[in-house]
Amino acid sequence: MTQAVLILIKPDGLKKSLTGNILTRLSETKLEIVAAKMVRVSQALAEEHYKQLKDKPFFPELIGYIRGELHDRKKVMALVYWGKDAIKKCRELAGATNPEEAESTSIRGSYGRITTSGVYENVIHVSSNESEAEREIKLWFQPEEIIVNLFSVKSEIEKECKKVTWA
Ligand code: UDP
Ligand code: MG
């Protein structure tokens, strides 16, 4: 089954200079990267991304974590991987959510940690199923930023919309 999956290299992954390692590990999947960018994560984007967890006690700290407030790195790297069984392959490489329970050779097992306040700093986000992947990819990317047609699109004319371009 051909699938798309959203991957985020979280602020701890960036701060620990793990971008290259993580991308190398993900290349073992032989999946195709169809979108990639650096993103400064707004409060609204962070809350929408993790909306299923909004009632958890760790939610405020999780939002601070993904926004880079714990690591002085106010950005994440967002990518879309695409190909056969993309979600299962990437989740397997990432390892369990809790880095102490993750297999020690997995990405989270190798590089994750639990903070003294209990948040799992696990260096990478991977969508957990197809409907979450679609919701998350549409949240983080616009259609023109993805080099394949993943989901249906609509066209509309924007009126008097200010746009910044190169001078
Ligand atoms: N998280 C946490 N403590 C928990 C569960 C989750 O700190 O008990 C954090 C962790 O960073 C995790 C994120 O919240 O990656 C999203 O949680 P989810 O259950 O969706 O796990 P994931 O899909 O990332 O494996
Ligand atoms: Mg999840």
Side-chain angles (χ1 to χ4, degrees):
M1 193 187 343
T2 303
Q3 296 174 323
V5 59
L6 178 79
I7 302 279
L8 301 176
I9 301 181
K10 296 181 176 183
D12 51 328
L14 297 175
K15 180 155 189 178
K16 292 174 176 171
S17 291
L18 292 173
T19 307
N21 302 43
I22 291 170
L23 297 182
T24 300
R25 293 298 310 276
L26 289 171
S27 71
E28 291 169 24
T29 62
K30 306 280 197 289
L31 296 166
E32 196 179 328
I33 298 173
V34 294
K37 63 179 176 181
M38 301 304 299
V39 183
R40 201 163 281 258
V41 184
S42 67
Q43 183 77 15
L45 175 58
E47 288 182 3
E48 186 61 25
H49 176 75
Y50 280 132
K51 71 177 180 186
Q52 273 115 339
L53 299 171
K54 69 176 189 308
D55 298 327
K56 301 280 184 195
F58 58 82
F59 185 72
E61 198 171 344
L62 176 61
I63 296 305
Y65 164 38
I66 199 69
R67 296 195 69 204
E69 285 163 6
L70 312 180
H71 298 94
D72 195 26
R73 287 286 189 288
K74 295 218 167 18
K75 60 196 168 192
V76 301
M77 187 172 192
L79 305 105
V80 178
Y81 280 76
W82 185 67
K84 191 170 182 296
D85 298 327
I87 296 173
K88 183 166 163 275
K89 285 175 181 163
C90 293
R91 293 279 307 185
E92 252 169 41
L93 270 182
T97 306
N98 179 339
E100 280 186 5
E101 286 170 4
E103 210 175 300
S104 53
T105 55
S106 68
I107 295 169
R108 288 167 164 180
S110 303
Y111 304 120
R113 69 171 200 131
I114 302 180
T115 65
T116 44
S117 62
V119 167
Y120 304 158
E121 289 186 2
N122 51 15
V123 304
I124 185 175
H125 168 82
V126 183
S127 311
S128 54
N129 57 53
E130 272 190 30
S131 63
E132 271 300 277
E134 177 170 348
R135 184 186 79 83
E136 291 172 358
I137 290 167
K138 288 176 173 174
L139 180 64
W140 287 82
F141 287 93
Q142 292 303 312
E144 70 270 14
E145 295 177 305
I146 304 174
I147 59 152
V148 290
N149 298 323
L150 294 179
F151 311 114
S152 52
V153 294
K154 61 179 180 190
S155 303
E156 50 192 34
I157 311 243
E158 277 184 21
K159 288 188 202 119
E160 295 193 27
C161 187
K162 187 173 154 193
K163 195 177 165 198
V164 177
T165 56
W166 302 118

